[in-house]
Amino acid sequence: MPEISPPTAPPQNAHSALDDAQGIAYGSLMAALSIVVLTHLGFVTGQTAGIALLISYTTGWDWAPVFFVVNLPFYWVGWKRFGPLFVAKSLFAVTLTSALAAVLPHYIAFSTLSPALGAILIGALTGAGLIALFRHGASLGGIGIVGLYIQDATGFRAGWVQMLVDAAIFGAALFLLDPVAVGWSFLGAVVANLTIAINHRRDRYIV
């Protein structure tokens, strides 16, 4: 059975609709919190969130709508391989994450946050959020969908796929942002992707 594809006959321990709703809500909240920390520190991240951040930094546009639009072309891959339910869940997750990332800065402020701790927090929040989404048949779109597609087809873990793509995005960020900030940002991405690669394993978690 594909790792996140709904089986023809759901097993007894399959997630309920309520399980999926809370899992996607939790994952979206963690991802949105990581974006709040990222933008506060002026960091960048990988995947489509990182692409949206670079566009936001260079144009002044808000991250949330840019992130939503950047993800749109990738839903075709999700629809083709994982079906409409996966796309619907992912679209909901992306929309909720975008909305929360736009609202949360009005309720959260940081007087002191070191770059090192911020990078670790970003990685931990992102990793926890993505694992929750993956385990409930969703993704934050973009590279996450492609990573899951490759993992399902070849066994090459989604976390490693994302790490390779992240490296390319960070290389581009070096031309746009302070290299020190990019270095701290890369630490956050490493923490996030190692969290996913170690904890989100097909042989340990199926439904």
Side-chain angles (χ1 to χ4, degrees), residues 23-88:
I24 293 173
Y26 169 81
S28 299
L29 176 60
M30 294 300 101
L33 282 171
S34 74
I35 291 297
V36 172
V37 179
L38 270 166
T39 53
H40 171 76
L41 293 171
F43 289 177
V44 71
T45 188
Q47 308 176 65
T48 51
I51 296 172
L53 277 169
L54 291 180
I55 293 173
S56 177
Y57 288 153
T58 55
T59 64
W61 298 341
D62 289 340
W63 177 86
V66 173
F67 177 63
F68 182 85
V69 171
V70 165
N71 273 297
L72 292 178
F74 292 92
Y75 291 120
W76 178 82
V77 177
W79 186 288
K80 181 179 178 182
R81 186 60 187 89
F82 298 113
L85 181 60
F86 173 79
V87 171

Side-chain angles (χ1 to χ4, degrees), residues 114-138:
S114 73
L117 178 58
I120 294 170
L121 283 174
I122 290 163
L125 290 167
T126 302
L130 289 176
I131 288 172
L133 293 174
F134 290 170
R135 290 182 174 181
H136 289 275

Side-chain angles (χ1 to χ4, degrees), residues 179-202:
V180 175
V182 175
W184 286 120
S185 301
F186 187 73
L187 172 62
V190 169
V191 172
N193 283 297
L194 285 176
T195 300
I196 296 168
I198 293 169
N199 293 284
H200 182 64
R201 289 184 51 175
R202 183 172 184 172

